[in-house]
Amino acid sequence: MVEKFIMAGETPLHICDSQEGERCVVLLHGYLESMLVWEDFVPLLYKKVRVVTLDLPGHGISQVVGERHSMEFLADTVRAMLDSLGIERCTLVGHSMGGYIGQMCIKKYPEIFTSLIHFNSNPFADSPLKRESRLKEIEVIENGKLITLAQLSIPNMYAKGNLRRLDFKVQETIEICETHDPFGISASLRGLMSREDNVEFLKSTKTPILFVFGDSDNFMDIESANNILSLIPNAKGVIIPSTGHNSFIEEPEKSAQALIDFISQK
């Protein structure tokens, strides 16, 4: 993997690129994460496909651009990154927030993205209660307590049964938050709050869609996962046993196999 900064349009972007492979997969991390969360996952892919990871604007060491990072802006940034790298078509893989960005990518640029794979994500807009919660998070973060927030929230992203086995991964993800500009995280939260519901769009899109769920996700139980698949009957679904909201970290081999099996059919 070659690590570097590039210009994605007018936005400086921190990326890694394996640079080889006929097919390309772009991995979009989730909220409070950076490209580093894919560190153990990428080696399971790059011998089969070209892999690109990035710090989304406002996360890691990519630049903060304004007070709100909308899904539209982030989709435009992904498109500009691909242009800069000379990549004409690719599969998008989005974890949680990354899935929301992926939905906007295929909405705006369907000719570029061959398929969209969601890890532990959903097609819904924020509820009023969720928006209220995000406003409280912004207040906490802008009062200098981003790491405290991370220490409280990140363990909930793992299945309870995996916490002891993956304690080092929990700590690594918390440490990633030390690289974030707090105002970049606030900008991301404002973007998440304003995103639109994409159920009807995903029902109508011709882009192949896969949802990968954990069976012990504290943010989305099995009933909710099955509801998503019933609402979007053209989407495929895979349940990764004994995983929470971070299936690709908790069971990387099974998650990678689900990804490879899906794109191999396209």
Side-chain angles (χ1 to χ4, degrees):
M1 296 288 287
V2 176
E3 182 178 358
K4 57 185 175 180
F5 276 91
I6 64 169
M7 292 302 296
E10 298 181 356
T11 304
L13 208 59
H14 180 221
I15 73 156
C16 276
D17 182 3
S18 69
Q19 299 186 318
E20 295 183 0
E22 292 183 8
R23 293 189 177 192
C24 179
V25 170
V26 174
L27 305 178
L28 305 176
H29 64 74
Y31 170 62
L32 293 182
E33 299 172 348
S34 76
M35 67 163 68
L36 293 176
V37 298
W38 302 108
E39 188 174 24
D40 293 337
F41 193 68
V42 168
L44 302 173
L45 303 178
Y46 71 75
K47 292 183 180 179
K48 298 179 175 68
V49 292
R50 179 177 180 178
V51 182
V52 177
T53 62
L54 64 148
D55 288 345
L56 290 160
H59 285 73
I61 56 176
S62 286
Q63 186 171 332
V64 182
V65 183
E67 295 185 354
R68 182 172 70 97
H69 289 171
S70 68
M71 300 302 104
E72 292 85 352
F73 160 69
L74 294 169
D76 290 344
T77 301
V78 172
R79 164 67 190 270
M81 176 193 73
L82 296 175
D83 287 345
S84 180
L85 295 174
I87 297 170
E88 296 181 354
R89 288 174 64 76
C90 72
T91 289
L92 282 175
V93 179
H95 176 234
S96 195
M97 179 185 78
Y100 312 148
I101 299 165
Q103 291 162 23
M104 184 55 66
C105 284
I106 66 170
K107 182 180 286 188
K108 293 194 73 173
Y109 306 110
E111 71 283 0
I112 295 176
F113 301 106
T114 55
S115 54
L116 171 61
I117 298 172
H118 304 77
F119 278 127
N120 317 102
S121 192
N122 69 75
F124 307 119
D126 275 357
S127 67
L129 186 62
K130 185 64 177 177
R131 291 191 190 100
E132 184 179 339
S133 173
R134 294 201 197 275
L135 285 172
K136 291 178 180 177
E137 283 189 51
I138 290 171
E139 184 178 1
V140 168
I141 291 165
E142 294 187 352
N143 282 327
K145 296 182 179 179
L146 172 58
I147 301 303
T148 301
L149 175 69
Q151 290 169 335
L152 293 172
S153 61
I154 286 173
N156 288 327
M157 297 177 72
Y158 292 80
K160 186 176 181 180
N162 291 334
L163 284 174
R164 178 169 294 182
R165 175 174 67 90
L166 293 172
D167 178 67
F168 69 103
K169 282 295 180 186
V170 175
Q171 295 307 313
E172 280 182 5
T173 311
I174 292 170
E175 289 170 6
I176 284 172
C177 292
E178 296 177 359
T179 69
H180 302 323
D181 182 328
F183 291 98
I185 301 301
S186 295
S188 297
L189 283 166
R190 292 187 184 97
L192 289 168
M193 289 169 58
S194 64
R195 77 184 190 280
E196 56 197 39
D197 187 284
N198 278 321
V199 171
E200 292 303 317
F201 166 69
L202 292 181
K203 284 169 63 174
S204 63
T205 183
K206 295 181 180 179
T207 303
I209 303 292
L210 173 68
F211 284 92
V212 179
F213 301 108
D215 67 350
S216 302
D217 191 329
N218 293 315
F219 302 102
M220 186 163 44
D221 59 23
I222 288 294
E223 183 178 355
S224 299
N226 286 330
N227 179 54
I228 290 170
L229 295 176
S230 68
L231 289 171
I232 310 172
N234 52 306
K236 303 293 185 182
V238 173
I239 306 293
I240 307 294
S242 303
T243 66
H245 197 64
N246 283 341
S247 294
F248 70 98
I249 297 176
E250 296 167 83
E251 290 290 349
E253 290 84 3
K254 292 177 182 177
S255 298
Q257 192 61 55
L259 186 161
I260 293 297
D261 288 347
F262 184 70
I263 66 174
S264 295
Q265 299 168 12
K266 308 305 168 192

